[in-house]
Amino acid sequence: MSEINHVVDKDGELEIGKIDQTLDRMDSDKKEEILQNFEQFKDYLAKRIELAENIGLNEEQLALVAQKVAGYLAKHEEPRNREEKLLQELWKVGNEAEQHKLSHLLVKLAQAKV
Protein backbone atom coordinates (compact mmCIF):
# COMPACT_ATOMS: atom_id res chain seq x y z
CA MET A 1 0.00 0.00 0.00
CA SER A 2 1.38 3.41 -0.84
CA GLU A 3 1.89 6.16 1.69
CA ILE A 4 -1.09 8.04 0.25
CA ASN A 5 -3.35 5.35 1.79
CA HIS A 6 -2.23 5.99 5.36
CA VAL A 7 -3.34 8.52 7.98
CA VAL A 8 0.16 8.68 9.48
CA ASP A 9 2.94 9.56 7.02
CA LYS A 10 6.45 8.07 6.92
CA ASP A 11 7.71 10.81 9.26
CA GLY A 12 5.10 9.88 11.86
CA GLU A 13 2.99 12.97 11.20
CA LEU A 14 -0.75 12.58 11.62
CA GLU A 15 -2.79 13.63 8.58
CA ILE A 16 -6.30 14.16 9.95
CA GLY A 17 -7.61 15.08 6.49
CA LYS A 18 -7.09 11.52 5.27
CA ILE A 19 -9.35 9.90 7.86
CA ASP A 20 -12.58 10.22 5.86
CA GLN A 21 -10.89 8.74 2.79
CA THR A 22 -9.54 5.86 4.85
CA LEU A 23 -12.96 5.12 6.36
CA ASP A 24 -14.62 5.34 2.94
CA ARG A 25 -12.24 2.65 1.66
CA MET A 26 -13.05 0.23 4.47
CA ASP A 27 -14.79 -2.92 3.27
CA SER A 28 -18.51 -2.78 4.14
CA ASP A 29 -18.45 -6.31 5.59
CA LYS A 30 -15.53 -5.36 7.86
CA LYS A 31 -17.33 -2.16 8.91
CA GLU A 32 -20.48 -4.16 9.71
CA GLU A 33 -18.45 -6.68 11.72
CA ILE A 34 -16.94 -3.87 13.81
CA LEU A 35 -20.15 -1.91 14.35
CA GLN A 36 -22.65 -4.74 14.90
CA ASN A 37 -21.74 -5.16 18.57
CA PHE A 38 -20.54 -2.45 20.96
CA GLU A 39 -17.99 -4.74 22.63
CA GLN A 40 -16.50 -5.54 19.22
CA PHE A 41 -16.38 -1.81 18.46
CA LYS A 42 -14.51 -1.16 21.73
CA ASP A 43 -12.12 -4.03 21.03
CA TYR A 44 -11.38 -2.72 17.54
CA LEU A 45 -10.90 0.80 18.88
CA ALA A 46 -8.62 -0.46 21.67
CA LYS A 47 -6.39 -2.29 19.17
CA ARG A 48 -6.15 0.77 16.91
CA ILE A 49 -5.34 3.04 19.86
CA GLU A 50 -2.63 0.65 21.05
CA LEU A 51 -1.14 0.66 17.54
CA ALA A 52 -1.29 4.47 17.40
CA GLU A 53 0.42 4.75 20.79
CA ASN A 54 3.14 2.37 19.60
CA ILE A 55 3.94 4.66 16.68
CA GLY A 56 4.10 7.65 19.00
CA LEU A 57 0.73 9.40 18.88
CA ASN A 58 -0.05 11.26 22.09
CA GLU A 59 -3.39 11.54 23.89
CA GLU A 60 -4.39 14.76 22.12
CA GLN A 61 -3.64 13.26 18.69
CA LEU A 62 -5.65 10.17 19.61
CA ALA A 63 -8.59 12.36 20.66
CA LEU A 64 -8.39 14.31 17.39
CA VAL A 65 -8.53 11.08 15.41
CA ALA A 66 -11.38 9.79 17.58
CA GLN A 67 -13.24 13.07 17.05
CA LYS A 68 -12.86 12.82 13.28
CA VAL A 69 -13.94 9.16 13.24
CA ALA A 70 -16.92 9.84 15.53
CA GLY A 71 -18.03 12.70 13.30
CA TYR A 72 -17.77 10.45 10.27
CA LEU A 73 -19.77 7.67 11.96
CA ALA A 74 -22.46 10.09 13.16
CA LYS A 75 -22.84 11.43 9.64
CA HIS A 76 -22.49 8.25 7.55
CA GLU A 77 -23.49 5.24 9.64
CA GLU A 78 -26.71 4.21 11.32
CA PRO A 79 -26.27 3.01 14.92
CA ARG A 80 -26.39 -0.80 15.20
CA ASN A 81 -27.15 -0.92 18.93
CA ARG A 82 -28.32 1.16 21.91
CA GLU A 83 -24.82 2.23 22.90
CA GLU A 84 -24.02 3.55 19.42
CA LYS A 85 -27.40 5.32 19.33
CA LEU A 86 -26.62 7.04 22.64
CA LEU A 87 -23.17 8.10 21.41
CA GLN A 88 -24.68 9.43 18.18
CA GLU A 89 -27.33 11.43 20.08
CA LEU A 90 -24.72 12.88 22.47
CA TRP A 91 -22.52 13.74 19.48
CA LYS A 92 -25.32 15.53 17.67
CA VAL A 93 -26.33 17.71 20.63
CA GLY A 94 -22.78 18.58 21.63
CA ASN A 95 -20.84 21.57 20.42
CA GLU A 96 -17.31 21.12 19.07
CA ALA A 97 -15.68 21.42 22.52
CA GLU A 98 -18.09 18.86 23.99
CA GLN A 99 -17.50 16.52 21.05
CA HIS A 100 -13.76 16.84 21.62
CA LYS A 101 -14.19 15.98 25.31
CA LEU A 102 -16.38 13.01 24.37
CA SER A 103 -13.58 11.90 22.02
CA HIS A 104 -11.11 11.94 24.93
CA LEU A 105 -13.56 9.83 26.92
CA LEU A 106 -13.93 7.34 24.05
CA VAL A 107 -10.14 6.99 23.91
CA LYS A 108 -10.05 6.36 27.67
CA LEU A 109 -12.87 3.84 27.37
CA ALA A 110 -10.98 1.94 24.69
CA GLN A 111 -7.71 2.14 26.62
CA ALA A 112 -9.44 0.53 29.61
CA LYS A 113 -10.12 -2.52 27.38
CA VAL A 114 -6.41 -3.24 26.91
Side-chain angles (χ1 to χ4, degrees):
M1 210 179 254
S2 70
E3 185 176 326
I4 197 165
N5 292 323
H6 298 283
V7 175
V8 178
D9 69 18
K10 65 182 178 187
D11 298 321
E13 295 297 318
L14 181 62
E15 297 189 40
I16 297 286
K18 291 186 176 180
I19 292 173
D20 283 357
Q21 296 167 340
T22 302
L23 292 170
D24 284 338
R25 283 192 313 271
M26 183 179 274
D27 177 78
S28 61
D29 289 338
K30 179 67 174 173
K31 200 181 291 186
E32 185 62 36
E33 179 185 320
I34 295 164
L35 296 174
Q36 71 180 339
N37 174 297
F38 192 65
E39 288 302 316
Q40 280 188 239
F41 171 73
K42 287 190 315 184
D43 287 342
Y44 180 82
L45 189 57
K47 289 174 188 170
R48 293 303 175 260
I49 287 172
E50 185 175 19
L51 177 66
E53 289 173 329
N54 288 339
I55 63 171
L57 295 186
N58 63 39
E59 184 179 338
E60 184 59 26
Q61 289 172 311
L62 292 171
L64 288 171
V65 171
Q67 186 173 359
K68 187 75 170 166
V69 171
Y72 177 93
L73 291 174
K75 186 176 181 181
H76 297 288
E77 296 292 332
E78 286 299 316
R80 299 337 190 258
N81 51 60
R82 293 184 317 235
E83 296 89 350
E84 289 175 9
K85 180 67 174 167
L86 175 60
L87 287 172
Q88 184 185 59
E89 292 298 317
L90 289 170
W91 192 262
K92 287 180 176 181
V93 299
N95 61 35
E96 189 173 345
E98 292 165 330
Q99 290 171 347
H100 187 69
K101 187 62 176 175
L102 182 56
S103 299
H104 274 280
L105 291 171
L106 286 169
V107 169
K108 284 185 173 188
L109 179 67
Q111 287 170 325
K113 286 288 287 179
V114 178

